[in-house]
Amino acid sequence: MFEEKAEKEDPSPSKELLHLVVFELSGEEFGVDIMQVSEIMPVSKITRVPQAPECVKGLINLRGKIVVVIDLNRRLGFSSKESDSLSRIIIVEVRDTMIGMLVNSVTGVLKLPVSSVEPTPDMIKSKINAEYLTGVGKKGDRLLILLNLARVLGEEEIDELSQLSSSASSPSSEQLPEENT
């Protein structure tokens, strides 16, 4: 009898679950596949870059590697928010380029059954580029907009950011000063 109960409590095999990092932007919850995320870190000193695209917040020094930080609020068309103690930078690697995605907060990691994911409604697709979206997840009363962070930036933008971080970290360029905060 105990064995039957244990089997019923196991909702589904792990291959049918999505493991998501859940974060908040402009009052909405978003989720990304945990396999797209290299690390999550508190916001450190971000060095602004003159004449950078509007969504580029600046550069950070991540253990000696220069990483471009994108303001995900701006990239997705939301109002930008000042960083605070809850703000985080989600580090992703896209085509051998490390990129930081600034978010308002990271609320945790969530296991979501694949059966709880529905296609993105057309109304949302018209407001956010459909290429970024992988669907909408339902967990109880919560709705999560599922993003593919690797597609939030186009190929040309990734190349530009790669060049920006390369030129900032090359010996011929001026080194970024490390500041104690």
Side-chain angles (χ1 to χ4, degrees):
M1 190 158 134
F2 178 74
E3 289 176 13
E4 283 181 36
K5 201 174 207 181
E7 285 177 23
K8 287 179 183 176
E9 288 176 5
D10 183 15
S12 60
S14 63
K15 67 180 180 180
E16 293 180 20
L17 288 176
L18 294 174
H19 296 257
L20 303 169
V21 173
V22 180
F23 57 92
E24 188 263 327
L25 291 173
S26 195
E28 301 299 330
E29 282 192 301
F30 290 81
V32 294
D33 187 327
I34 199 165
M35 297 307 291
Q36 291 185 312
V37 177
S38 298
E39 113 180 52
I40 299 168
M41 58 182 283
V43 176
S44 58
K45 169 74 174 124
I46 298 175
T47 303
R48 293 187 332 185
V49 180
Q51 300 177 356
E54 189 177 322
C55 68
V56 173
K57 190 77 173 172
L59 304 170
I60 59 170
N61 184 343
L62 180 64
R63 293 183 295 280
K65 185 166 176 70
I66 303 302
V67 176
V68 177
V69 177
I70 301 298
D71 183 336
L72 206 50
N73 273 307
R74 279 194 174 166
R75 181 65 184 138
L76 297 179
F78 299 127
S79 298
S80 189
K81 177 184 175 274
E82 283 298 315
S83 297
D84 59 25
S85 62
L86 295 176
S87 300
R88 294 291 180 263
I89 298 174
I90 299 175
I91 305 293
V92 298
E93 191 166 335
V94 181
R95 289 187 25 229
D96 298 326
T97 301
M98 290 188 75
I99 299 171
M101 304 282 187
L102 179 64
V103 299
N104 297 359
S105 66
V106 172
T107 56
V109 175
L110 179 71
K111 293 179 184 176
L112 185 70
V114 173
S115 60
S116 296
V117 177
E118 293 190 7
T120 308
D122 291 334
M123 181 181 277
I124 293 175
K125 285 182 185 178
S126 67
K127 298 204 184 241
I128 299 176
N129 189 334
E131 210 171 272
Y132 314 157
L133 306 174
T134 57
V136 176
K138 297 182 295 184
K139 181 81 172 184
D141 290 342
R142 294 166 70 184
L143 289 179
L144 301 168
I145 300 170
L146 305 182
L147 292 177
N148 181 343
L149 288 182
R151 292 196 174 158
V152 167
L153 299 168
E155 302 254 340
E156 284 181 23
E157 291 168 310
I158 293 168
D159 290 340
E160 277 182 50
L161 297 178
S162 178
Q163 290 171 3
L164 183 61
S165 61
S166 297
S167 65
S169 62
S170 70
S172 62
S173 70
E174 197 174 299
Q175 292 294 316
L176 291 175
E178 290 196 26
E179 293 186 15
N180 295 331
T181 54

